[in-house]
Amino acid sequence: MRTIYAISLSALSLLVGTLAADRPADAAEPIIIASTGGAYDRALKEAWFDPFTAETGIPVTIVSATNAEMRAKAAAMVKAGNVTWDLYLEGEIQAASEAHRLVTEDLTEFCRQFSTKADLASNACAAGGALLQSTATLLAYRQDEGMNEHPRTWADMWDTKAFPGGRAFPNFDDPWRVLAAALLADGVKKDELFPLDVDRAFAKLDEIRDEVTVWWKTGDQSVQGFRNGEYDLGQIWLTRARAMKNDALPIGWSYEASFLVGDRVAVVKGAPNRENALKLIAFWLDNPEVQAKACDVLSCTPPSTEAIALMSEKTRQSMPTPEDIKTNVIVPDAVWINANAAMLLQRWNNWVR
């Protein structure tokens, strides 16, 4: 028995050694990326991660978490010197904050290689991370058959007589967009929105609080809430609304009630698989067809103009027009939001509890 065991163990060692030799040396460990789950992750996996793995042999593992969990986890890992993630997704506004800079690698030098790519937006690669996509946070609604009037503005969100049903708002550590919607519903003009009148916003939110049936913390939760009939009108991401429409759910949305937002992918300081993580980012920025495939599913705007040209006509028609952007879509004041983030979150947590 000892002889048989020794031969088997030797054969096994030879087999493992052969497999290791055939596998790229830098593919031994997967890239770990944290994202928000659900349809968003599926779109990125199919369009970006899987083709990257097929080309390089480097696996990509997704960890799902809320935005608040990602920020807290990244900060804790860096502080403890025990980093297990390589990348995580962050909102465009937060990616410009001091808190973000403290826990992520400065990509300025890495980004130089993309500065001459004519198809990429000027902000496609920045110190705080690479731009994945731009999209909108907007008013979405259940589009029932025979519905003659559709909600278009945040004032309509507050009009429970004309548009009955449960409401949904996000509840994570980024409350500015809920406060901004409340102020617009209260009659504040688009170009007078910032700095936010926080007291006035909370007073307006008091009027609708009892109608809110879903306080979602992740994009996937906003999808499930709509799918399960838990709300009829909600403030959600366009990427999630489009994913639901692709699944034939009766959803519509309005660009007259929208805020321009975006996602960046950032490298955690001390990332264990840093070099391969940078390869994954470069793969995104260098391949318009990859960006196009993801944004075709999510109805987002990719950083490459070539990618936009590759997207389907149906998707391009569902995106905000230049006139929508000029007239309706609000670009948030990132400097003011970051400077007041702690105050906003404290006030929000005291109110929402």
Side-chain angles (χ1 to χ4, degrees), residues 31 33 48-49 52 56 58 60 86-89 104-107 110-111 113-114 117 120 124-132 264-268 271 273-288 290-291 303:
I31 299 166
I33 182 169
W48 180 18
F49 304 152
F52 172 80
T56 66
I58 303 169
V60 179
D86 299 297
L87 302 164
Y88 75 101
L89 270 56
T104 59
E105 184 172 333
D106 185 337
L107 296 187
F110 167 78
C111 289
Q113 63 188 296
F114 304 103
K117 288 180 68 69
L120 290 177
C125 196
L131 183 64
L132 286 184
R264 288 191 177 272
V265 56
V267 180
V268 185
N273 208 355
R274 173 185 178 276
E275 293 305 315
N276 284 341
L278 292 175
K279 290 178 183 178
L280 181 63
I281 294 175
F283 190 82
W284 174 261
L285 295 175
D286 280 334
N287 290 280
V290 170
Q291 299 175 31

Side-chain angles (χ1 to χ4, degrees), residues 255-306:
Y255 287 115
E256 290 185 50
S258 60
F259 306 99
L260 185 66
V261 293
D263 278 343
R264 288 191 177 272
V265 56
V267 180
V268 185
K269 280 185 178 179
N273 208 355
R274 173 185 178 276
E275 293 305 315
N276 284 341
L278 292 175
K279 290 178 183 178
L280 181 63
I281 294 175
F283 190 82
W284 174 261
L285 295 175
D286 280 334
N287 290 280
E289 63 276 9
V290 170
Q291 299 175 31
K293 184 175 180 179
C295 281
D296 243 339
V297 174
L298 299 171
S299 200
C300 57
T301 301
S304 168
T305 53
E306 291 182 13

Side-chain angles (χ1 to χ4, degrees), residues 87-294:
L87 302 164
Y88 75 101
L89 270 56
E90 180 60 286
E92 179 82 22
I93 293 172
Q94 290 74 21
S97 70
E98 179 64 22
H100 181 77
R101 286 192 289 271
L102 290 174
V103 300
T104 59
E105 184 172 333
D106 185 337
L107 296 187
T108 301
E109 193 60 36
F110 167 78
C111 289
R112 295 190 193 282
Q113 63 188 296
F114 304 103
S115 62
T116 58
K117 288 180 68 69
D119 67 303
L120 290 177
S122 59
N123 67 338
C125 196
L131 183 64
L132 286 184
Q133 49 84 17
S134 297
T135 187
T137 296
L138 42 60
L139 169 61
Y141 54 88
R142 190 171 300 278
Q143 196 167 14
D144 295 324
E145 286 187 33
M147 192 176 186
N148 295 321
E149 293 292 328
H150 299 117
R152 299 179 297 104
T153 68
W154 294 116
D156 292 337
M157 179 82 151
W158 263 253
D159 189 345
T160 57
K161 292 183 179 178
F163 303 103
R167 267 56 176 167
F169 281 110
N171 177 24
F172 47 87
D173 62 347
D174 190 24
W176 68 265
R177 68 196 75 201
V178 183
L179 302 177
L183 291 171
L184 293 169
D186 204 38
V188 175
K189 295 180 180 178
K190 171 188 172 183
D191 56 359
E192 298 175 357
L193 188 57
F194 289 92
L196 299 178
D197 185 335
V198 176
D199 291 335
R200 181 175 176 180
F202 279 114
K204 188 65 176 177
L205 282 168
D206 285 337
E207 298 176 10
I208 201 174
R209 180 172 187 156
D210 292 343
E211 308 298 327
V212 180
T213 52
V214 175
W215 294 101
W216 56 269
K217 292 183 177 294
T218 68
D220 198 40
Q221 188 180 0
S222 73
V223 170
Q224 294 306 320
F226 187 89
R227 185 186 299 276
N228 297 336
E230 296 174 45
Y231 70 91
D232 295 284
L233 290 83
Q235 186 185 70
I236 66 173
W237 296 317
L238 173 60
T239 52
R240 302 296 176 151
R242 176 59 193 273
M244 287 191 269
K245 197 169 190 68
N246 289 343
D247 288 341
L249 293 174
I251 192 168
W253 54 82
S254 171
Y255 287 115
E256 290 185 50
S258 60
F259 306 99
L260 185 66
V261 293
D263 278 343
R264 288 191 177 272
V265 56
V267 180
V268 185
K269 280 185 178 179
N273 208 355
R274 173 185 178 276
E275 293 305 315
N276 284 341
L278 292 175
K279 290 178 183 178
L280 181 63
I281 294 175
F283 190 82
W284 174 261
L285 295 175
D286 280 334
N287 290 280
E289 63 276 9
V290 170
Q291 299 175 31
K293 184 175 180 179

